[in-house]
Amino acid sequence: MIAAPAGRISDALFSGKTTVAAWRTKPSWYAVSKQDRTTATELERFLASA
């Protein structure tokens, strides 16, 4: 097994403030499955539009 140290976490990671939600400005896609046996296609389309 090979392991690498993760290193020190930046303090700014915990003290920084989010100003804009990324999902509002960045494009995103949703894949709707036609043959999904677990989730109904209508439900997937509804969740994608939300």
Side-chain angles (χ1 to χ4, degrees):
M1 181 169 141
I2 299 174
R8 186 169 183 266
I9 297 175
S10 172
D11 291 335
L13 178 66
F14 299 104
S15 62
K17 301 288 181 193
T18 302
T19 57
V20 178
W23 57 266
R24 291 189 184 268
T25 57
K26 298 199 181 263
S28 61
W29 296 267
Y30 194 99
V32 176
S33 302
K34 292 181 179 180
Q35 297 180 350
D36 189 342
R37 296 181 182 176
T38 306
T39 307
T41 304
E42 296 82 15
L43 177 59
E44 289 184 4
R45 290 187 193 284
F46 171 76
L47 294 173
S49 68

